[in-house]
Amino acid sequence: MNKEISVIQRKKIRGHILKILELSHPTATFESAVAAGLIQRGLLSSPDISEYTDYLMGKDYITAVGHPDRFEIGEKLLKLTPRGVDLMEDTIQDPGVEV
């Protein structure tokens, strides 16, 4: 895949993750539900979204809440942070995320 196309795709996927989390905000969403939404939209074929969520967590746009083993579900619950809300409301911009 062309490097430029790959960069554009990653930006788009990050933005879609934020859009999915915005739908349930302020409630957290299962990571698997976010992955399923991306797969349904044809953006991914694998349910592993850690590359994208790690980026968004590193920028403090999303956070993982609760402990994955707390409810014996073995997966993260993801939630928008106030900074993530600002990004979605276009109060701040990030060239690495297409919203």
Side-chain angles (χ1 to χ4, degrees):
M1 180 183 296
N2 180 321
K3 183 178 179 182
E4 188 175 320
I5 293 172
S6 178
V7 169
I8 292 167
Q9 184 177 14
R10 285 194 304 272
K11 290 178 183 183
K12 185 175 282 211
I13 290 169
R14 293 175 195 140
H16 276 277
I17 290 170
L18 294 175
K19 289 174 186 174
I20 292 168
L21 294 177
E22 185 180 38
L23 292 172
S24 65
H25 183 71
T27 305
T29 303
F30 285 111
E31 186 176 39
S32 62
V34 174
L38 294 170
I39 291 169
Q40 183 179 19
R41 288 179 171 98
L43 295 169
L44 290 177
S45 58
S46 167
D48 180 11
I49 60 171
S50 60
E51 169 189 349
Y52 310 102
T53 57
D54 288 349
Y55 176 91
L56 295 169
M57 284 182 201
K59 294 279 195 151
D60 194 33
Y61 298 139
I62 66 172
T63 188
V65 295
H67 190 276
D69 296 326
R70 180 175 177 197
F71 302 108
E72 298 179 19
I73 54 175
E75 70 172 298
K76 298 177 199 168
L77 287 163
L78 304 175
K79 182 177 177 178
L80 279 179
T81 64
R83 186 166 160 79
V85 172
D86 285 345
L87 184 64
M88 295 305 295
E89 292 177 347
D90 205 25
T91 305
I92 60 173
Q93 287 80 40
D94 184 326
V97 180
E98 183 182 307
V99 291

